[in-house]
Amino acid sequence: MASNAENSPNSQGGNTEPDAPSSQWRGNRGRGGYRGGRNDGNSGDRSDQRNGNTNQRRGGNRGRGNRGFGASTGARGGFRGGLSQPSPAVPPPPLAGGGTFGDRLTEDAAKVEGEEGVKGGNDAATEDGDAEVCFICASPVVHNAVAPCNHRTCHICSLRLRALYKTKACAHCRMNADYVIFTDDPEKKFEDFSPEDFSSSDDNLGIRYEKPEISEDTLLLLRYNCPDSTCDVACLGWPDLHRHVKSVHQKVMCDLCTRNKKVFTHEHELFTQAELRRHEKFGDDNPGASDQTGFKGHPECGFCRQRFYGDDELYTHCRDKHERCHICDRRDNSRRQQYFVDYNALELHFRKDHFLCPDQECMEKKFVVFDSEMDLKAHQLESHPNGLSKDARRDARRVDMSSFNYRSSHESERGGRRDGRGRGRGRGRDPNVEPIPVSSAQPLRRDELAYQRQMAIQSAQSVSTRTFGGQLTSGDAFAARPPPRAEEPQTVTAPRPTAPENEAFPNLASLNLEPQTTSTADLTPQEQARRLRHNAVTERAANMLRNDQTKLGEFRNRVSSYRSSKITASELIEAFFSLFDTSSQQLGKLVKELAEIFEIVSKREGLLKAWSDWKAINEDYPSLPGQSAASASSSASAASGSRVLKLKNSTAQSSRSAVSKQGSWGASGNQNLFPALRHAVASSANRAGAGRVGPTPWGAATASQRPSLTPSRTPSQQHASKGISRINTEAFPALPATAKPTTTVFSPGYGGSAVRRETAARGGGNNPWGSGVGASSSSTAGVGDADSETVADQSTGQKKKGNKNKKQTLFHFG
Amino acid sequence: MANRKRIVKELSDVTRSPPPGTRVQLLDESDVHIWEVLMDGPPESVYVGGHFKIKVTLPTDYPFKPPLLSFTTKIYHPNVSNDDKGSMCLGMLRSDEWKPANRISAAIEMARNLLIAPNADDAVEVSIADQFKNDRAEFEKIAKDWTKRYAGKA
């Protein structure tokens, strides 16, 4: 802005000899005159003004009503004078000092739209909106900007587009213009201007000025003017301006806004520190205020704690700096984007929720991860055949048919769950995840289908009688066999987080099916699945007994005695221990699988309870399930623990709102739940304690939850929850739900809602359980059920199936 | 910023003479940046009989940036995203095609015209667009069904 520098001395000069010179040139300039004339609709008037009727014009008619008329005499007038003088070609003595300029400028700019009308009204009622209003900003036109297409805007809108939005497109027709003409002539066509009509031009901005005054007015807008409405300082640059507002006004400007917001300098806002924080977090939205902007705050990256100007900027940042899971994205692209802080976090997610190729080379390559175990095996067979033993290779070629049987279309809404067992094993693994409609409804890719078919054929050929139904084979050697094997061949499955989590799934699969069996007419697939599961249990038992038929018979006897209530669950457990000569870990799996095939809820629960009781008594310090895997994941989740805390804090807002919608949820109850969860995540080592935790703590959880279900019971239960709330914290670590690194998941958004737990996002609106889960944690809700059969039954009746799954999940952690 | 004046002006204009079959109001009287448009399904479209709510969100730098239109009423339409956002983004609403001179009423009219004639070549919901192109009868059946189901009451 060279011209500014030039001008400032002039202004000073103007100041020294206030009004006289200015009025003179003003007449020549005819700028105010136009305005006035137009407003009056009286051309005669206009010409009159041009002739030098300056005082009146200045006060009353000038388009720039905003330039404080009362004050205009001093600095203002001087300013004017300064500006005008160049045109008379009488350069005033160069004096330093830009203050005056600033003054005029600020006022000018700051009030361009807002006050013009007001002031104009004050003065002569000439500025009424209808007279001539810029189509774009709806403010009175001060100078016209004419584009080659002969579309007009006010010079401010035109300058805004060209200087701030960096576009040369016409605001009306988007036609690009190399230059536009700033003129005071309201009608003259673009092509009627000849080069000699221009007093100056700015090739950088592409503007030709008809008059120097217009140029002045324009360039003034571009200076670093202090936004304070009473301050007339124009600074040399941003740093200077920041210093100025800080030292003079004790205010700050929003750094993000000054860098990104497309407004003129003086249009920025000044904040106190507190106001700035508010501005960043919530925006300036001030309902009802006349100056409200609709701005809702600068969104923050939940990982970096860094704010960005807007969603676009945040998106760019996340895209460049953080990772997304392409598999999840592919599954459901309508969901909110979820990011992982870096590849390590993403890899953890891959291990946990998908099928990561554990091969060293692939790990280095990164992103070698698959949607399903099937795909992973295909990849392994293809790419690393040498890494697998012969047996493993054969196993890998086998297909767990059970998984396919389960997929029947009418069940698709809960597919995510059931898939935990089979093909999409990666899909339903997360107990936090409510059924994801799209995921399993998504058709198999063509190549996947083909591959499956091929696999099925191969396995039919290569294995004999045991071929069909993966479960028929003995579990441990069977690579494709679903979850619970701790001793899954290393080559096939990447280290899995923890056994409890895995073990949860077979149960889910079964539980899904059983109610269905009774409730729907379509029995076939379920029936099949049930048989398969029975077989699987038998198979496992047989395997553990080394196919000793007598012992197997004994096993069957015991089970049927339990079924017919001849013996209690704990007796059954005891019997198992005498019968099986294996580790309690092994036995636990059997018990759990066995439990899940009981259709009678009480039997199932009784057995599981007995099992967890036994463990509570006999295994004070159970080893972590699935050693290496567990340690890996637990350390990871511990690492992310601190992040959770932060994320939680920032989520507080949004979850609270979810809760309040809920109505029946006591806020305090939720607060109680949160610390427990955090604790859980942070110290996931405790997870092993899961086994120890008897039914009582679960009960506590129930109590705190139940009010939402059955308000009448509230008092006693609340009491219960108070008593055991301490235990709650211990109980929670057991739940895989809490350990899930939802912590590292965040989606961009404004302020508080930027980060939220995955679950929260999914909490259903009308299902109290669903949303309850969202607000606190799925684990809690589920646990709540476990404690008593009545509740469980009740919920069976009234809840959606997805939730039931959750409940069931929890039985099996012990 | 210049926008408030412009928005208020547009709002008063559109309230005075709204596009046919629509009614415009502020979702919240105190916030001129969020409008609620009540649009009747055009009689010549499959959405006839439906009453659709459209939320118009004006960005901070409106009119230099386009408004955002989203159907808060669920609608089966190739150009409206079939999620909780129900966003519609095409033609003049795209930021690279937006002209500051465009008015919100024009955007509303465009939305209405899209109800009459969906633009399957510029769809957000590809599957619906395919159906629209290849199996019009089924498309119309679902669209009518959804209209009845979700946009029934005013």
Side-chain angles (χ1 to χ4, degrees), chain A residues 325-517:
Chain A
C325 172
H326 59 281
I327 294 179
C328 291
D329 282 352
R330 202 192 65 171
R331 267 183 212 170
D332 184 0
N333 34 26
S334 71
R335 239 188 315 161
R336 309 214 305 165
Q337 298 133 5
Q338 292 171 342
Y339 288 89
F340 298 85
V341 64
D342 52 18
Y343 185 77
N344 292 337
L346 181 60
E347 190 178 283
L348 195 76
H349 162 77
F350 283 159
R351 283 171 199 269
K352 230 168 136 53
D353 299 321
H354 304 302
F355 297 85
L356 182 68
C357 178
D359 184 85
Q360 192 58 36
E361 216 173 284
C362 286
M363 295 286 267
E364 280 161 18
K365 255 193 266 173
K366 294 184 176 179
F367 294 105
V368 184
V369 61
F370 300 91
D371 199 2
S372 69
E373 188 152 355
M374 181 84 62
D375 291 334
L376 173 61
K377 280 190 287 174
H379 159 80
Q380 284 179 320
L381 284 172
E382 192 179 318
S383 306
H384 331 283
N386 302 329
L388 298 171
S389 70
K390 207 177 158 198
D391 283 351
R393 254 178 292 164
R394 189 200 60 210
D395 288 337
R397 264 188 229 106
R398 229 178 276 160
V399 177
D400 187 354
M401 294 304 289
S402 59
S403 54
F404 306 116
N405 291 342
Y406 289 10
R407 294 176 55 90
S408 60
S409 58
H410 67 281
E411 288 173 332
S412 60
E413 81 226 36
R414 300 193 326 283
R417 284 294 150 156
R418 188 172 347 100
D419 276 352
R421 173 141 200 139
R423 175 193 167 271
R425 190 166 143 201
R427 292 196 168 166
R429 181 109 29 86
D430 180 1
N432 280 335
V433 180
E434 273 303 296
I436 310 159
V438 198
S439 67
S440 70
Q442 196 178 41
L444 292 178
R445 284 199 329 256
R446 200 178 270 265
D447 51 346
E448 285 173 348
L449 272 174
Y451 185 68
Q452 280 172 10
R453 240 174 265 135
Q454 187 193 343
M455 292 300 247
I457 293 164
Q458 277 177 5
S459 65
Q461 287 164 346
S462 63
V463 199
S464 59
T465 53
R466 303 190 305 180
T467 309
F468 275 107
Q471 291 87 341
L472 298 180
T473 36
S474 71
D476 292 352
F478 186 53
R481 188 185 177 101
R485 312 291 152 261
E487 43 306 272
E488 264 171 346
Q490 289 284 328
T491 42
V492 172
T493 333
R496 283 289 146 60
T498 52
E501 191 168 350
N502 288 337
E503 282 166 6
F505 278 90
N507 306 325
L508 291 179
S510 65
L511 293 169
N512 254 333
L513 296 169
E514 273 159 16
Q516 278 255 304
T517 319

Side-chain angles (χ1 to χ4, degrees), chain A residues 519-750:
Chain A
S519 64
T520 42
D522 183 5
L523 288 179
T524 0
Q526 286 83 359
E527 193 62 24
Q528 276 175 1
R530 205 172 60 95
R531 296 232 172 93
L532 286 172
R533 251 177 302 113
H534 275 275
N535 288 337
V537 172
T538 320
E539 194 68 28
R540 177 186 275 276
N543 204 40
M544 286 165 76
L545 296 169
R546 293 175 191 81
N547 278 321
D548 182 333
Q549 287 306 320
T550 26
K551 284 188 175 179
L552 197 57
E554 173 78 8
F555 169 73
R556 288 207 170 100
N557 277 340
R558 295 283 175 181
V559 173
S560 54
S561 321
Y562 173 64
R563 181 186 294 249
S564 53
S565 300
K566 278 183 208 133
I567 59 171
T568 67
S570 44
E571 280 168 20
L572 181 66
I573 302 275
E574 288 302 321
F576 282 176
F577 268 100
S578 56
L579 198 57
F580 294 97
D581 179 26
T582 53
S583 71
S584 60
Q585 204 187 12
Q586 287 289 307
L587 196 57
K589 282 172 203 153
L590 178 66
V591 170
K592 274 169 227 145
E593 278 196 8
L594 178 62
E596 82 191 25
I597 64 177
F598 278 108
E599 265 117 315
I600 309 156
V601 178
S602 60
K603 288 288 172 200
R604 184 165 58 221
E605 288 177 356
L607 183 57
L608 289 166
K609 181 174 169 297
W611 174 244
S612 56
D613 282 349
W614 184 90
K615 278 178 71 169
I617 296 161
N618 294 294
E619 293 189 14
D620 273 341
Y621 299 100
S623 57
L624 280 170
Q627 316 299 357
S628 63
S631 63
S633 84
S634 63
S635 69
S637 44
S640 53
S642 61
R643 187 175 301 285
V644 183
L645 287 182
K646 287 187 198 159
L647 297 192
K648 283 279 167 47
N649 283 339
S650 52
T651 341
Q653 187 83 1
S654 61
S655 35
R656 215 176 293 134
S657 68
V659 170
S660 65
K661 260 179 240 148
Q662 203 42 41
S664 58
W665 285 78
S668 61
N670 283 311
Q671 237 108 49
N672 278 342
L673 296 172
F674 270 107
L677 292 173
R678 283 181 206 161
H679 177 75
V681 178
S683 60
S684 63
N686 279 352
R687 203 186 290 162
R692 269 186 292 138
V693 182
T696 342
W698 304 122
T702 321
S704 62
Q705 299 293 321
R706 213 181 286 155
S708 71
L709 274 188
T710 49
S712 61
R713 291 191 206 165
T714 306
S716 64
Q717 270 129 14
Q718 267 171 352
H719 173 72
S721 84
K722 241 176 269 159
I724 326 185
S725 64
R726 187 181 44 82
I727 311 182
N728 264 347
T729 53
E730 233 185 311
F732 282 124
L735 301 168
T738 58
K740 282 263 352 157
T742 46
T743 60
T744 44
V745 170
F746 102 98
S747 356
Y750 278 116

Side-chain angles (χ1 to χ4, degrees), chain B residues 103-127:
Chain B
R103 299 173 67 92
I104 302 168
S105 61
I108 296 172
E109 270 187 77
M110 188 201 75
R112 193 178 135 85
N113 288 333
L114 274 172
L115 293 192
I116 298 167
N119 180 353
D121 296 325
D122 196 0
V124 276
E125 292 295 334
V126 181
S127 55

Side-chain angles (χ1 to χ4, degrees), chain A residues 248-262:
Chain A
V248 177
H249 306 292
Q250 283 81 46
K251 294 273 186 72
V252 289
M253 299 172 79
C254 173
D255 188 55
L256 288 169
C257 282
T258 54
R259 284 171 200 277
N260 296 285
K261 198 174 179 185
K262 295 189 167 47

Side-chain angles (χ1 to χ4, degrees), chain A residues 793-810:
Chain A
D793 289 339
Q794 191 183 18
S795 56
T796 314
Q798 76 192 34
K799 278 185 304 172
K800 289 186 178 163
K801 279 137 195 167
N803 288 311
K804 199 179 307 158
N805 293 336
K806 207 172 299 139
K807 167 193 72 186
Q808 311 293 13
T809 308
L810 297 157

Side-chain angles (χ1 to χ4, degrees), chain A residues 113-114 117 133 135-140 157 160-161 165 170-174 261-263 267 285 287-296 334, chain B residues 1-7 9 28 30-34 58-65 82-85 95-103:
Chain A
E113 341 90 21
V133 168
F135 189 84
I136 303 304
C137 65
S139 295
C157 282
R160 208 183 277 281
L161 280 168
Y165 288 89
C170 167
H172 294 265
C173 67
R174 292 174 47 83
K261 198 174 179 185
K262 295 189 167 47
V263 296
E267 291 177 323
D285 201 30
S290 61
D291 59 343
Q292 64 169 351
T293 59
F295 171 64
K296 300 273 194 275
S334 71
Chain B
M1 282 292 290
N3 65 14
R4 187 180 160 85
K5 232 177 178 178
R6 154 102 182 227
I7 293 171
K9 186 170 188 302
D28 169 359
S30 63
D31 187 357
V32 294
H33 288 85
I34 301 179
L58 307 178
T60 33
D61 33 9
Y62 181 83
F64 298 101
K65 288 285 154 66
N82 183 17
D83 53 17
D84 50 354
K85 292 194 201 75
S95 53
D96 50 350
E97 284 177 47
W98 172 256
K99 297 178 288 194
N102 288 343
R103 299 173 67 92

